[in-house]
Amino acid sequence: MKQLLENTKTNKLVSLVICLLVLTTLLSTLALYSPISSTIIRIVQIYPTNPRIHPLKDDYAKCDLFKGQWVEDSKGPLYTNTTCSTIPTSKDCFLHGRNDKEFLYWRWKPHRCQLARFEPMTFFQIMRNKRLAFIGDSVARNQVESLLCLLSQEEAPIDVYKDAKDRSRTWFFPKSNFTLMVLWTRFLVKGVEKEVGVFDLELDQVDEKWSYDVNQGLVDYAIVSSAQWYFKKKYLYEGGKLVGCLYCNETNLTEFKVSFAIGKAFQTTLRYINGCKKCKGMVTLVRTISPSHFENGTWRNGGHCDRSKPYSKVEVENMLATNKNNVEWEVRNIQMDEIERVKKQGSIKGQQKFEAMDITKVMLMRPDGHPGSHWRDKKKKGFNDCVHWCMPGPIDVWNDLLLALLRKPVL
């Protein structure tokens, strides 16, 4: 009789465990494939929250990750255009006739420390049960595409969502319950196109395309960036009133520097995130401007970028001293100012965490990393792409640096 009772209890326990497993699977499936009303799906969290592991090594604390030089590296990239199936054709430079491969064999070397190569498993462990959003334009998307290639060497993502223009996207990695997103925005702030290529910008209003998802508490980590869309004619508004313009050359309007407009936009964006009531504990990394490398012209008038090796640190310092790339360096400086401002505000209020991802000088040294003419069918006349980055290529270091920042104990 005693044995019968024990067997009955055991059977009931086994049945309960099986029921719980079935229920968990059903809930996860419903959460993943149910219709979505925003660009983000809330995935049912079926994994326990893990404490942060693999903190930065001691020598990382002794150096600035963003000050250093590029050194030759015989190992080359962690993926190729044959081992990563998600490289967009516009970034697959070898597909469009690029023959030199020397640009792949350089590594970023910070002063006084070594930058670790990207480790997919470490990244997944940090991001278990988390949602990471890249908030920005096509250059932000370029970094996401690099990250997808690096992560896919460990686990292939599930495509969850894309908007009608394939700008905002969501991917899901089930093993770690990790969600990766692109929340696409040109300016971070509200912009309305009044004629082809000419926008009215509300510098004190964030773009609802990304702000809705953040305000709902659907983002744990965000990488915020914007810059290249500002280098065209714009009309600037604050408080609903026209205050000036960019590249307008109109006698009755104040013409501002690009750095002024971008500084205002980042101030508005970071203030919004810092004041978000549902964003407690959210970590925001602000990526500084990714420089272009046009020579003998610009995007639309014959500019090109045909170099095959990096600039040295001395060459970049000389360029900045002679005003070349100084506009972009001004943008970088004002972005850094806004990051420092919100870091102080955040620490006082005890709210969100902010950190800089200062890649501008790192990438100023890499004029060899752009698609240039190797981004589309050469039979089609067009312009050279000296803004985006080849994959694989120098942009992959952004994710090395991203992982290093995520491993900081303060984050």
Side-chain angles (χ1 to χ4, degrees), residues 123-130 132 176-178 221 406:
F123 183 89
F124 281 130
Q125 288 165 337
I126 293 172
M127 285 293 164
R128 182 176 293 278
N129 301 325
K130 302 298 183 183
L132 167 63
S176 56
N177 195 31
F178 165 57
Y221 291 84
L406 292 174

Side-chain angles (χ1 to χ4, degrees), residues 1-160:
M1 186 67 178
K2 181 179 179 182
Q3 182 67 39
L4 179 62
L5 288 173
E6 289 179 352
N7 290 341
T8 301
K9 290 179 180 179
T10 301
N11 291 337
K12 287 182 178 180
L13 180 60
V14 170
S15 298
L16 179 60
V17 170
I18 292 173
C19 288
L20 288 173
L21 287 173
V22 171
L23 180 60
T24 300
T25 302
L26 287 173
L27 288 173
S28 301
T29 304
L30 287 171
L32 182 59
Y33 295 105
S34 60
I36 57 177
S37 58
S38 95
T39 60
I40 297 175
I41 293 180
R42 275 193 179 278
I43 305 296
V44 176
Q45 295 191 354
I46 60 174
Y47 300 93
T49 301
N50 287 350
R52 176 158 289 121
I53 61 173
H54 299 300
L56 284 174
K57 297 178 181 178
D58 291 341
D59 60 349
Y60 273 66
K62 300 174 184 177
C63 77
D64 184 335
L65 290 168
F66 306 102
K67 291 181 179 179
Q69 61 187 347
W70 291 89
V71 298
E72 293 185 58
D73 173 39
S74 61
K75 292 182 179 179
L78 294 175
Y79 66 92
T80 69
N81 61 349
T82 57
T83 63
C84 178
S85 62
T86 57
I87 297 178
T89 57
S90 61
K91 314 299 190 317
D92 189 347
C93 300
F94 299 116
L95 180 67
H96 297 289
R98 183 162 186 170
N99 295 317
D100 67 298
K101 295 183 179 180
E102 289 79 4
F103 77 101
L104 299 178
Y105 294 92
W106 295 87
R107 287 283 299 159
W108 177 248
K109 172 63 175 68
H111 297 320
R112 296 189 296 277
C113 69
Q114 297 288 338
L115 177 64
R117 292 168 71 85
F118 189 88
E119 301 170 351
M121 284 304 299
T122 300
F123 183 89
F124 281 130
Q125 288 165 337
I126 293 172
M127 285 293 164
R128 182 176 293 278
N129 301 325
K130 302 298 183 183
R131 296 170 292 260
L132 167 63
F134 284 76
I135 302 172
D137 56 18
S138 59
V139 181
R141 176 71 174 265
N142 204 169
Q143 183 179 358
V144 174
E145 291 157 350
S146 165
L147 182 58
L148 282 170
C149 282
L150 292 165
L151 295 177
S152 66
Q153 307 306 298
E154 182 67 35
E155 180 186 359
I158 297 172
D159 282 308
V160 173

Side-chain angles (χ1 to χ4, degrees), residues 373-388:
S373 62
H374 304 294
W375 72 282
R376 43 95 173 109
D377 188 342
K378 287 188 175 182
K379 294 179 181 179
K380 297 178 181 178
K381 293 182 178 180
F383 43 82
N384 297 314
D385 186 353
C386 302
V387 172
H388 301 95

